[in-house]
Amino acid sequence: MSSHDEAARALLGSALLVAEENHNRITPAPASSGNYTIDKEALDEGFRYGEITSIAGPTGTGKTTLAYQAIASHLMAHDAGDIALIATTELSLARIRDVLADRIATQDQGPEFQESRYLYRKQPSTKQAIPETSHRVMSMLERVHICRVFDFAGVEEAVTEFGANLEDNDRSDEVETTAKERESARSVADSEDEAEEDVSLEPDGRRHGEADITNPAMGSGRLRAHMIVIDNMANVVGSMMAKSQVQGIACSIAPRTRREANKILEGHAILARFMRSLRHLTKHRHICTLIVNAAVGLRPQGTQYRCKADDQVSIFASTTGRPALGKHFTSLVDASIYLSTLPRSKEDADVAYGDVRGALRFNEIRVLEVLKDRYGSREGKWSAFDIIAGTGLQSVRLCE
């Protein structure tokens, strides 16, 4: 039997269990969307670390707000670890501050608050809360590294620089930890009582309970979780793609010349190479990576247009859009989330899709649905919500 025909070596169940437990130990809990119902019904606790998640949707559906909520969740859950916010569009630092301040002020509220936005627990007085909250917000924002870029090369450079900074931080932590270990070893050697103490060792020679500093997610004995947010990818990739993949039009526009077709193929290759590099960094460092994307194939306002069955990605028949940058980009991410708007009630739907178009206003809600989940079972799940005061997410129940 040749070496190619040999069966794979069997692995012990105990070894696989230990590997899984170690992976879970160093992988942070998902970053919350800022809304209990969305986390429970659609996201299975939130945005996962070690995965790339795309958040797509038309303008005004809450893509950036959702990303800012994830940033706030990360900063509030981890006292170590940085965020790279790569902005290709207009950036509002005041909005990030307001989202973070709102989350801090309401962090003691339960799921009932996110349903009604009614405060069920007594809050500190305004005179005490505002200075304390402001101080915490500013302290947290010191870990947010903002990069304003104007083209795809700028995005690549920003991600590369962030990864290099993580490597430098790891080397600094390793030197610091090694120095502490040497000092501790000298103290133990000088003490007879410590020498007689029974010290259990792990299989790799570490003391029992000691952090494994060789893992890039662990630094100085504590978990370091990081996050990358790119807002908005479609703005900088558009020049490399076909017009129909980056603009909100419902038809497909084929390349007019071979030169144009070759440019599109080259653009896909550049994007794929970048995404492979980003995935390696995301998984190796257990980073929560969020990519904000646009939408295409939208139904023109005031028409009864319905997209073809092949183009339908939403479980809702009236949602005609789909993530921009094409199916190729969707295949490069681990999870794809799509945001859209729907009429709030049956009466609103009659106004929106009836014969009298544009004559009456109707109420809408926002819907988050999971189109793809490479490593989980979230695909097809959805949740409805509203945005309150431009910062908070309020759960919504659809009316019949």
Side-chain angles (χ1 to χ4, degrees), residues 9-197:
R9 293 181 58 186
L11 298 176
L12 295 177
S14 59
L16 293 176
L17 179 60
V18 170
E20 181 178 350
E21 290 177 345
N22 289 337
H23 179 271
N24 294 336
R25 179 176 62 86
I26 64 177
T27 301
S32 171
S33 66
N35 182 276
Y36 174 82
T37 305
I38 293 176
D39 290 342
K40 180 180 178 182
E41 295 182 349
L43 299 181
D44 289 348
E45 298 183 5
F47 301 103
R48 297 173 184 152
Y49 288 81
E51 294 186 11
I52 300 176
T53 301
S54 168
I55 305 175
T59 301
T61 52
K63 304 184 299 295
T64 299
T65 300
L66 191 63
Y68 288 173
Q69 287 286 343
I71 290 175
S73 298
H74 175 90
L75 293 173
M76 294 175 65
H78 305 282
D79 59 356
D82 299 329
I83 296 177
L85 176 54
I86 304 171
T88 68
T89 184
E90 183 179 356
L91 177 67
S92 174
L93 292 176
R95 190 174 170 193
I96 299 176
R97 177 203 61 199
D98 293 343
V99 169
L100 191 53
D102 180 70
R103 289 289 299 279
I104 292 175
T106 60
Q107 62 182 341
D108 294 331
Q109 301 298 317
E112 302 87 357
F113 170 76
Q114 295 170 357
E115 293 281 354
S116 63
R117 301 293 290 185
Y118 175 80
L119 297 178
Y120 286 84
R121 295 176 177 85
K122 185 178 180 180
Q123 299 294 298
S125 64
T126 304
K127 292 182 179 180
Q128 295 175 351
I130 292 179
E132 181 180 352
T133 300
S134 178
H135 176 74
R136 288 188 61 188
V137 168
M138 295 304 296
S139 177
M140 291 179 178
L141 289 178
E142 289 180 357
R143 293 190 282 126
V144 181
H145 305 268
I146 298 175
C147 305
R148 185 73 170 91
V149 300
F150 302 94
D151 52 25
F152 187 70
V155 175
E156 290 182 298
E157 183 178 349
V159 171
T160 301
E161 182 178 353
F162 185 67
N165 289 338
L166 296 184
E167 293 284 352
D168 293 339
N169 292 338
D170 284 343
R171 283 192 288 268
S172 299
D173 290 337
E174 187 172 354
V175 171
E176 179 182 353
T177 304
T178 302
K180 290 181 179 180
E181 288 179 345
R182 290 175 179 173
E183 182 65 27
S184 177
R186 284 194 295 267
S187 299
V188 171
D190 293 339
S191 174
E192 293 182 357
D193 294 336
E194 292 291 333
E196 293 175 358
E197 184 180 352

Side-chain angles (χ1 to χ4, degrees), residues 249-267:
I249 54 180
C251 57
S252 177
I253 302 177
R256 289 173 292 183
T257 65
R258 177 171 296 183
R259 182 178 180 181
E260 186 175 339
N262 291 337
K263 179 182 178 181
I264 294 173
L265 291 176
E266 182 180 357

Side-chain angles (χ1 to χ4, degrees), residues 55 108 203 213 274 276 324 372:
I55 305 175
D108 294 331
I213 63 172
F274 166 75
R276 283 194 295 268
K372 171 189 175 181

Side-chain angles (χ1 to χ4, degrees), residues 38 41 365-368 382-386 394-396 398:
I38 293 176
E41 295 182 349
I365 59 171
R366 295 170 174 84
V367 175
L368 178 151
W382 62 277
S383 184
F385 67 98
D386 265 340
Q394 179 180 1
S395 304
V396 174
L398 293 179

